[in-house]
């Protein structure tokens, strides 16, 4: 973790392949800090100036975060921000002396407080409504719900990715679009409209048909293929 006053110094301003920002009719550049519009006559203010102008002082008590099209980054107090560059439209200020890091879809993010709510993640990560945010775990990935908070204070950098809210699976080779998640065997049978008395099977990672036992829970992934069979391996 970096100190807010030095974390951003020495890094070049990322510039997106977009048209340069232009000042308004009054010759001033407008940006927002925590949603409040702030105007600058100087197109290259320092981080300390941005915080002071937005009413966050003393500036040394705050962390300034720039929201970019893909990712976020901390701005040091002595670091110059070029307001003519795309991606300088919005900032966040936090009363904090630490910077926390995470990745989302392989893009780096920096944040000013230990916890971040799922709705805020959606905003800064530009996550679409038809997507869900997944916290990567070796044993079992975790889907973040609207009421969840991600704790960035644990050891290491948290890694997240997005997935489609609805996934396509196949039942008897016919595509079915269902919500992603974990299902019991009985729930899948009901969802697919399987025949009474038949067993449900899934093609496993080795390419073999595996029977789903009663009560078994399965995390369903996009592209999975399911079949139903009469008991004892008979054909349906």
């Amino acid at each position: 973790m970096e100190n807010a006053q030095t974390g951003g110094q020495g890094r070049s301003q990322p510039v997106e392949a977009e048209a340069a920002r232009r000042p308004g009719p009054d010759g001033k550049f407008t940006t927002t800090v925590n949603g409040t519009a702030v105007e600058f006559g100087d197109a290259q203010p320092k981080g300390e100036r941005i915080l002071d102008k937005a009413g966050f002082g003393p500036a040394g008590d705050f962390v300034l975060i720039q929201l970019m099209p893909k990712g976020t980054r901390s701005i040091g107090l002595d670091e110059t921000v070029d307001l003519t560059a795309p991606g300088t439209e919005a900032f966040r200020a936090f009363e904090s002396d630490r910077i926390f890091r995470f990745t989302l879809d392989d893009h780096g993010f920096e944040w000013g407080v230990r916890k971040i709510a799922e709705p805020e993640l959606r905003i800064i990560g530009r996550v679409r409504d038809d997507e869900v945010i997944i916290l990567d775990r070796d044993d079992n990935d975790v889907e973040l719900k609207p009421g969840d908070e991600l704790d960035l204070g644990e050891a290491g950098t948290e890694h997240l990715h997005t997935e489609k809210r609805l996934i396509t699976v196949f039942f008897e080779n016919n595509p079915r679009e269902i919500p992603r998640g974990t299902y019991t065997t009985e729930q899948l049978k009901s969802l697919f409209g399987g025949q009474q008395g038949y067993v449900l099977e899934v093609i496993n990672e080795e390419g073999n048909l595996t029977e789903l036992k009663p009560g078994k829970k399965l995390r369903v992934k996009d592209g999975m293929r399911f079949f139903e069979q009469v008991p004892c391996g008979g054909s349906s």
Side-chain angles (χ1 to χ4, degrees):
M1 299 178 186
E2 297 174 335
N3 184 279
Q5 299 186 49
T6 60
Q9 297 179 32
R11 286 179 292 175
S12 60
Q13 176 81 10
V15 178
E16 298 293 321
E18 302 174 11
R21 297 183 65 214
R22 296 182 178 277
D26 58 358
K28 295 183 178 181
F29 288 86
T30 301
T31 189
T32 65
V33 181
N34 292 5
T36 300
V38 185
E39 293 185 333
F40 295 90
D42 178 7
Q44 295 187 331
K46 291 185 176 181
E48 182 177 14
R49 173 61 174 159
I50 295 175
L51 285 167
D52 286 339
K53 193 76 180 290
F56 296 98
D61 291 344
F62 290 84
V63 167
L64 183 65
I65 299 292
Q66 178 186 350
L67 306 188
M68 301 184 297
K70 295 181 180 179
T72 64
R73 72 183 191 108
S74 60
I75 303 295
L77 297 183
D78 293 330
E79 182 178 358
T80 298
V81 177
D82 182 3
L83 295 181
T84 67
T88 56
E89 294 84 357
F91 296 82
R92 292 279 197 277
F94 300 92
E95 189 169 6
S96 174
D97 63 352
R98 288 188 171 187
I99 294 168
F100 300 87
R101 295 179 177 82
F102 63 95
T103 68
L104 175 62
D105 287 338
D106 295 325
H107 296 294
F109 288 78
E110 295 182 325
W111 205 237
V113 287
R114 175 170 179 158
K115 293 185 178 181
I116 181 170
E118 190 267 0
E120 186 76 39
L121 272 172
R122 286 186 167 276
I123 293 173
I124 68 171
R126 304 193 179 194
V127 179
R128 296 169 22 158
D129 290 341
D130 64 350
E131 295 176 327
V132 294
I133 302 173
I134 307 298
L135 176 61
D136 296 346
R137 287 290 182 263
D138 291 335
D139 50 352
N140 192 18
D141 292 347
V142 178
E143 177 183 339
L144 298 183
K145 305 294 185 181
D148 290 341
E149 285 188 328
L150 177 63
D151 189 345
L152 303 172
E154 301 298 328
T157 300
E158 295 287 14
H159 299 283
L160 304 104
H161 68 274
T162 56
E163 293 183 9
K164 291 292 185 182
R165 192 178 298 276
L166 295 179
I167 59 176
T168 299
V169 298
F170 298 84
F171 178 64
E172 296 293 331
N173 291 321
N174 295 315
R176 300 286 186 90
E177 196 172 56
I178 66 173
R180 64 175 309 282
T182 299
Y183 295 83
T184 64
T185 300
E186 291 74 17
Q187 288 172 328
L188 287 171
K189 283 184 174 182
S190 176
L191 195 64
F192 294 145
Q195 301 181 68
Q196 186 69 28
Y198 280 56
V199 298
L200 184 64
E201 297 181 323
V202 63
I203 295 181
N204 62 23
E205 294 180 355
E206 289 74 36
N208 301 317
L209 273 173
T210 302
E211 179 182 344
L212 297 177
K213 301 295 184 181
K216 177 179 176 59
K217 291 184 178 181
L218 178 69
R219 184 169 179 264
V220 180
K221 299 180 181 179
D222 192 64
M224 277 186 166
R225 293 183 175 272
F226 298 86
F227 298 89
E228 62 178 5
Q229 303 282 357
V230 295
C232 302
S235 174
S236 61

